[in-house]
Amino acid sequence: QVQLVESGGGSVQAGGSLTLSCAASGYGYMPNCMGWFRQAPGKEREGVVVADNTGSTQYADSVKGRFTISKDSAKNTLFLQMNSLKPEDTAMYYCAARNGYCEFSGPFHYWGQGTEVTVSS
């Protein structure tokens, strides 16, 4: 069973930056597809970015050029660097993983508990 634990959320003013982390455990290697999703209050969950082991990525249009996904395979940790944050980025951010085809549609089999990001104007 894969466990994912996010950290790094918090409150920041518009234009600021945050880095989220997702520590993965419970298996010998990281699933080939990992990514970040978010859910704002009253809205459906949406994909932010996913990446596979080849380095191929899919970013939501709303975060392109501002957010960057990366991972430290030796530490089984996924990161999301978020720059130029906007109030509309306010949401609960979830780390997710799956083995197989790597797109937002997933389905993703493993989910973290989420970390909250609040961006004030």
Side-chain angles (χ1 to χ4, degrees), residues 25-88:
S25 62
Y27 54 91
Y29 56 90
M30 293 178 78
N32 75 289
C33 178
M34 297 189 71
W36 294 92
F37 292 74
R38 67 186 181 186
Q39 187 167 18
K43 295 187 177 181
E44 293 188 354
R45 187 173 61 197
E46 63 177 359
V48 176
V49 57
V50 294
D52 68 17
N53 284 351
T54 71
S56 178
T57 57
Q58 179 184 10
Y59 283 89
D61 288 342
S62 59
V63 306
K64 284 180 180 177
R66 300 187 299 121
F67 290 11
T68 303
I69 191 172
S70 63
K71 62 182 176 181
D72 183 338
S73 296
K75 296 182 178 180
N76 287 343
T77 302
L78 186 73
F79 301 99
L80 181 65
Q81 175 67 42
M82 305 186 294
N83 298 326
S84 302
L85 282 161
K86 304 175 181 180
E88 52 263 44

Side-chain angles (χ1 to χ4, degrees), residues 8-14 16-18 20 85 90 115-120:
S11 297
V12 64
Q13 289 192 326
S17 298
L18 281 174
L20 306 183
L85 282 161
T90 295
T115 186
E116 192 165 7
V117 172
T118 302
V119 184
S120 58

